[in-house]
Amino acid sequence: MEFEYYNPTRLIFAAGALARLGEVASQHGKRALLVTGGGSVKRSGVYDRAVASLKLAGVSTVECSGVEPNPRITTVRRGAKIARNEGCDVIIALGGGSAMDAAKVMAAAFYYDGDPWDMIFHGQTVPYVPTRALPIITVPTLAATGSEMNMGAVISNEETKEKSFVQAQCLYPVVALVDPELTMSVPQDQTAYGICDIITHVTEGYFNGVAGTPIQDRFAEGVIITAMEYGLKALEDGNNLEARAQVQWASIVALNGWVNAGTNGGFPVHMIEHTLSAYHDITHGAGLAVVNPAWMRFAARHRPEKFVQFAERIFGLDAKNSIDLDCALEGIDRFEAFLKSIGCPTRLSELGIGDALLTEYAKETVRIIHDDKGLLPGQPPMSEADIVAVLRSAL
Ligand code: NZQ
Ligand code: ZN
């Protein structure tokens, strides 16, 4: 196990923390670009409260609204232009992962004269990795992506049907102002997709990482069990603040680098899902709910011991031995049943996806990210035929 860990984001986590937005933002700028989605923050009153807090602290605002789920590069270009024209010196994302990701790339695009699409890793030999960005403050309203405290962003290009990521140190938010109260208005379906996204962030490292990471395994299992237990409570009663808070915290820990530190694995389920989202504009967490169990059944045959551990520690199953494949597969069935029980799709058909383009999805996924043998990184590395087989099993 070898790693270096770095995360400079200041995390403020408290119910009611939104009231501190002005105080916090005024330490980083005087004129903020407020990046929002399709209107949920307006309907909930969160937007007005944010603006009032900023105004009180002497921070003026200009808005870039309308960031779509699976945020588009066109929206990033639009936001960066507003920030430049309006002389913004800080960017505040108020919304879900989509608003946060778009805001991050706008912050870097502010200083970049080329096209921000150059920053998104979409298979170009030398992507442009930004080194400078406006200070970013994230105020998440949905527990899912962990974008609030990491250096990643995922952006789609409608024209080229591509969806991919950028990772750069300048994209770490200076502050993540996390107020779990803001997630109480998230509808049931998005709450469930968020739970699936959180769990998948840690299962990627758990199953694809190097061997010999006992602490990371226990961290990951803690995130999974907590997201399942408190996720169910949040679904039962969306106003259960304690449940919302635990799920929000799980979402942060799952992808701020801590749980996966040293695992050094690929993210094959995410890479495949991003292709499906690029073609069909589906919700990220819903796509993961379909791909992850199908991928697990494929990978369990390669590495049964890790899946046996999952089955025993998450679902309390009793394995005959450390490579008991039946037990491993039973654990995956239980996981899929959990996803189904909270309202996630588990078949491609439920997402309106048929078998016509399976080969194309596979080719496209591997084109964007591959190892030196041309395989999708993971345990095991996947050929295009493997990806097609996994997707076919999820039809
Ligand atoms: O757009 P608005 O009106 O705000 O509504 C959103 C949207 O319709 C709604 N919503 C958000 N907060 C709400 C709310 N509705 C009611 N009350 C609230 N408090 O939920 C819908 C989905 O929002 P979105 O931001 O798209 O969801 P999510 O947070 O799941 O973000 C998904 C995006 O993040 C990317 C995904 O690929 C996808 O593009 N990811 C980003 C990652 C990262 N930066 O580290 C990692 C992830 O693996 C993921 O790929
Ligand atoms: Zn994800």
Side-chain angles (χ1 to χ4, degrees):
M1 186 172 69
E2 279 181 9
F3 66 95
E4 189 172 319
Y5 181 79
Y6 173 75
N7 189 321
T9 301
R10 173 184 173 201
L11 172 63
I12 299 173
F13 188 102
L18 180 65
R20 293 185 56 193
L21 180 60
E23 165 215 327
V24 165
S26 65
Q27 294 165 9
H28 297 280
K30 286 273 160 241
R31 185 154 176 75
L33 180 72
L34 259 179
V35 180
T36 63
S40 70
V41 292
K42 304 274 171 68
R43 290 189 292 278
S44 63
V46 164
Y47 180 81
D48 288 343
R49 286 165 57 206
V51 173
S53 169
L54 289 162
K55 199 169 167 193
L56 204 64
V59 179
S60 65
T61 57
V62 49
E63 193 190 1
C64 174
S65 62
V67 175
E68 49 288 287
N70 296 324
R72 312 272 150 81
I73 193 66
T74 45
T75 305
V76 170
R77 293 182 189 124
R78 174 167 64 85
K81 198 167 165 188
I82 299 174
R84 279 180 177 182
N85 290 347
E86 295 284 338
C88 295
D89 51 11
V90 57
I91 295 205
I92 301 173
L94 194 58
S98 296
M100 292 190 279
D101 285 3
K104 285 176 172 176
V105 187
M106 287 171 196
F110 181 89
Y111 288 115
Y112 180 55
D113 286 333
D115 183 354
W117 186 242
D118 299 345
M119 300 179 197
I120 310 301
F121 187 76
H122 57 275
Q124 68 277 53
T125 339
V126 191
Y128 172 76
V129 181
T131 53
R132 205 172 162 213
L134 283 177
I136 302 154
I137 296 173
T138 49
V139 186
T141 62
L142 198 167
T145 62
S147 182
E148 53 271 30
M149 198 181 169
N150 69 35
M151 61 159 172
V154 181
I155 302 294
S156 298
N157 187 326
E158 258 186 317
E159 267 175 46
T160 58
K161 278 200 192 145
E162 289 168 304
K163 170 174 175 172
S164 196
F165 62 90
V166 49
Q167 285 186 322
Q169 290 201 348
C170 67
L171 299 184
Y172 275 114
V174 288
V175 184
L177 186 75
V178 183
D179 180 345
E181 263 177 20
L182 308 187
T183 65
M184 295 205 298
S185 58
V186 176
Q188 290 237 332
D189 58 350
Q190 291 292 341
T191 302
Y193 303 153
I195 293 164
C196 177
D197 194 19
I198 294 166
I199 294 175
T200 311
H201 291 154
V202 300
T203 59
E204 296 270 32
Y206 191 84
F207 291 122
N208 293 292
V210 298
T213 53
I215 290 185
Q216 307 310 338
D217 287 2
R218 294 290 188 187
F219 281 163
E221 289 152 7
V223 169
I224 297 167
I225 291 168
T226 305
M228 289 173 72
E229 184 181 337
Y230 287 88
L232 282 174
K233 291 181 184 169
L235 283 163
E236 242 167 58
D237 173 9
N239 290 318
N240 180 337
L241 180 59
E242 172 63 11
R244 291 290 194 183
Q246 298 307 336
V247 175
Q248 178 76 71
W249 179 218
S251 104
I252 294 168
V253 179
L255 207 60
N256 71 354
W258 189 242
V259 170
N260 287 333
T263 57
N264 298 331
F267 262 53
V269 174
H270 269 72
M271 297 306 132
I272 297 170
E273 193 292 322
H274 285 168
T275 306
L276 298 179
S277 276
Y279 277 72
H280 300 283
D281 202 12
I282 57 172
T283 303
H284 174 61
L288 294 175
V290 174
V291 179
N292 204 13
W295 173 85
M296 286 177 167
R297 289 190 181 96
F298 158 81
R301 288 175 168 76
H302 166 83
R303 200 184 189 190
E305 64 280 8
K306 210 62 198 261
F307 288 85
V308 167
Q309 181 177 301
F310 176 80
E312 289 194 316
R313 293 190 185 172
I314 304 296
F315 294 105
L317 299 180
D318 255 333
K320 288 199 288 285
N321 54 53
S322 64
I323 52 162
D324 179 354
L325 187 60
D326 289 339
C327 175
L329 294 173
E330 174 64 22
I332 299 167
D333 287 349
R334 299 267 183 113
F335 176 55
E336 188 178 53
F338 166 78
L339 293 174
K340 215 178 167 120
S341 77
I342 62 172
C344 288
T346 51
R347 315 305 310 167
L348 284 173
S349 53
E350 291 172 74
L351 298 169
I353 299 177
D355 66 355
L357 299 175
L358 299 188
T359 314
E360 200 170 318
Y361 307 142
K363 266 193 193 327
E364 187 58 10
T365 306
V366 172
R367 183 186 67 76
I368 290 182
I369 188 149
H370 51 261
D371 61 17
D372 50 13
K373 297 193 182 86
L375 301 172
L376 178 64
Q379 293 231 29
M382 297 174 87
S383 66
E384 287 176 20
D386 292 333
I387 299 174
V388 170
V390 164
L391 291 174
R392 193 171 294 287
S393 75
L395 284 169

